[in-house]
Amino acid sequence: MNPEEVRLIESILKVTEKAVEGHPWMPCHNDFHSHNIMLQPHSKDHEERLLAIDFEDCDLADPMWDLAYLTVNVEMERDPCQLWDMYGASLDEKSRARAYILLAMAHCATWAAMRGGPWVQHQKEMMIRILGVVELS
């Protein structure tokens, strides 16, 4: 990452910290993206249902982090209302999820930059998406 990108991510960290201060703490997945959601098919014992997998990052956090992270993963950060309404998010929860959007994107960009190689392109794409959301703000 170049110094300008690092400064942008540092500012995202500071802004997010202030925006979500005092959030509730409860058990959260903390890596909630589409690859960690499985569909269990209908059987004689149960209806079709969604299951979360891969709980190695599970810890106490704000559940709106999980919602924001999923929002970024499915590329709905510019218009997340439909997903958040399906979740049943309150106005306060939507406000916190919105605050986490840029942080989730920064997390993805940083993760990709640290891995290098084929992930460099993903890091560049995430930085472009971050700038697009910043322009909307």
Side-chain angles (χ1 to χ4, degrees):
M1 297 181 99
N2 66 46
E4 185 177 314
E5 292 171 335
V6 171
R7 283 191 296 277
L8 175 60
I9 289 178
E10 287 172 343
S11 71
I12 289 169
L13 286 167
K14 291 175 187 173
V15 168
T16 305
E17 180 181 26
K18 289 178 184 172
V20 299
E21 190 173 41
H23 68 77
W25 290 86
M26 55 191 62
C28 291
H29 190 281
N30 290 318
D31 192 22
F32 197 60
H33 57 78
S34 60
H35 293 214
N36 285 337
I37 301 171
M38 305 289 289
L39 179 64
Q40 184 177 26
H42 173 83
S43 75
K44 65 179 181 141
D45 298 325
H46 60 77
E47 294 295 318
E48 203 174 60
R49 59 185 169 188
L50 293 175
L51 303 171
I53 62 168
D54 188 14
F55 287 89
E56 67 202 36
D57 294 328
C58 187
D59 204 347
L60 294 177
D62 183 347
M64 293 305 102
W65 165 255
D66 280 346
L67 186 57
Y69 196 69
L70 178 62
T71 302
V72 168
N73 176 253
V74 296
E75 299 184 19
M76 293 180 71
E77 65 270 2
R78 288 178 174 255
D79 187 18
C81 293
Q82 184 179 8
L83 179 62
W84 295 355
D85 288 343
M86 286 173 46
Y87 174 83
S90 69
L91 289 177
D92 178 62
E93 290 171 329
K94 289 177 183 180
S95 175
R96 290 196 330 268
R98 189 164 305 283
Y100 285 122
I101 289 285
L102 284 172
L103 183 62
M105 296 171 84
H107 167 81
C108 293
T110 304
W111 182 92
M114 289 172 36
R115 272 137 191 87
W119 289 102
V120 170
Q121 182 59 37
H122 180 65
Q123 181 261 325
K124 290 176 183 176
E125 291 167 1
M126 289 307 302
M127 293 308 298
I128 290 168
R129 287 170 61 191
I130 287 171
L131 293 172
V133 170
V134 168
E135 288 174 3
L136 289 175
S137 301

